């Protein structure tokens, strides 16, 4: 019930048709890839199970500064205080490196897939991958393996190949991979940062593949390697319908400004003249701030609900 988006949609639908946004700026690439990979978007773990891990990898994830579930930060700190080893893969030495006494892998920004592919190459070429687990719980792995080993394109994704791309040494990549392979169960927790990029769904997907190859999926102390964490299945209970009007139109959240500026030319049913925003900061979150401002200027009327005078509220 206490969901601004659901209540706003229900409220607007009572007055006739409207245009809603779908998707989100935070995790769209990750959300996109979950369904075809896992058959469901409802994946995650109870972070308390991480206390059973032998290694936790924070890949582009900085839980010392960000909040993903009220128990995550405390559980990770408890694990670190108990001597559990952490590795942080991040372009910058984030506060999580210090807080969790972690080894820091200073990867070059935007090269996560290259590093993951080279790790997978090492796992396969050195017999460190769990073939029985791969065969039992996945399909199509042979196509990916052919690519990783260079059989399909002539380029083997070796640590040496990835070193220059990622700004790391081949020996560091090899050490990281072997430590990861030996620590079972191991949890690979990706941050949303690595999927907020062109082709970002591949970073999320390869994290899951690494966990698959090392048989760390579906066990206490492991993780899916992709998507969100500290998230269990939703309770089976009733819910109110978000929309009562079948004529509601939908616009990808990334294209809201296009629909507002020139909806018909952009392929949407009509132009937009009124914006109703509940707890969102579209001006601050959109990738093109000036386009967002232009869209707000074009409106006849704008209402924004918020606790703070955000940039979006200033233009409302």
């Amino acid at each position: 019930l206490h969901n601004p988006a659901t209540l706003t949609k229900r409220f607007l639908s009572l007055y006739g048709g409207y245009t809603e946004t779908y998707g989100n700026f935070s995790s769209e690439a990750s959300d996109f890839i979950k369904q075809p990979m896992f058959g469901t978007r409802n994946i995650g773990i109870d972070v308390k199970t991480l206390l059973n891990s032998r290694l936790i990898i924070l890949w582009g994830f900085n839980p010392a500064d960000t909040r993903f579930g009220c128990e995550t930060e405390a559980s990770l700190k408890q694990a670190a205080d108990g001597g559990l080893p952490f590795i942080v893969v991040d372009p910058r030495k984030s506060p999580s490196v210090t807080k969790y006494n972690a080894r820091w892998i200073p990867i070059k920004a935007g090269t996560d897939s290259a590093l993951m592919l080279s790790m997978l190459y090492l796992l396969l070429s050195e017999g460190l991958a769990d073939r029985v687990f791969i065969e039992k719980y996945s399909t199509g792995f042979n196509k990916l393996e052919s690519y990783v080993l260079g059989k399909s394109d002539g380029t083997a994704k070796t640590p040496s190949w990835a070193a220059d791309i990622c700004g790391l040494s081949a020996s560091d990549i090899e050490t990281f991979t072997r430590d990861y392979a030996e620590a079972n169960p191991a949890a690979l927790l990706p941050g949303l940062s690595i999927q907020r990029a062109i082709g970002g769904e591949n970073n999320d997907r390869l994290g899951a593949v690494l966990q698959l190859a090392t048989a760390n999926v579906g066990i206490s102390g492991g993780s899916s390697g992709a998507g969100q964490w500290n998230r269990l299945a939703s309770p089976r209970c009733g819910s109110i319908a978000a929309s009562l009007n079948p004529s509601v139109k939908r616009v990808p959240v990334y294209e809201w400004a296009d629909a507002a500026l020139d909806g018909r030319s952009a392929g949407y049913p009509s132009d937009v003249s009124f914006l109703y925003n509940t707890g969102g900061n579209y001006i601050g979150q959109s990738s093109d701030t000036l386009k967002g401002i232009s869209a707000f200027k074009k409106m006849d009327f704008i209402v924004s609900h918020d606790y703070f005078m955000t940039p979006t509220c200033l233009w409302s």
Side-chain angles (χ1 to χ4, degrees), residues 116-135:
M116 290 177 173
L117 287 168
S118 69
M119 293 173 67
L120 188 57
Y121 174 91
L122 206 64
L123 292 173
L124 295 170
S125 62
E126 294 194 355
L128 300 174
D130 190 322
R131 292 286 182 176
V132 175
F133 194 86
I134 291 170
E135 288 296 321

Side-chain angles (χ1 to χ4, degrees), residues 103-123:
R103 186 200 314 175
W104 178 36
I105 306 293
I107 189 174
K108 187 184 296 182
T111 64
D112 305 279
S113 287
L115 178 54
M116 290 177 173
L117 287 168
S118 69
M119 293 173 67
L120 188 57
Y121 174 91
L122 206 64
L123 292 173

Side-chain angles (χ1 to χ4, degrees), residues 137-151:
Y137 292 107
S138 71
T139 58
F141 189 86
N142 59 315
K143 293 183 179 180
L144 177 59
E145 181 174 4
S146 178
Y147 172 73
V148 171
L149 298 180
K151 296 178 180 179

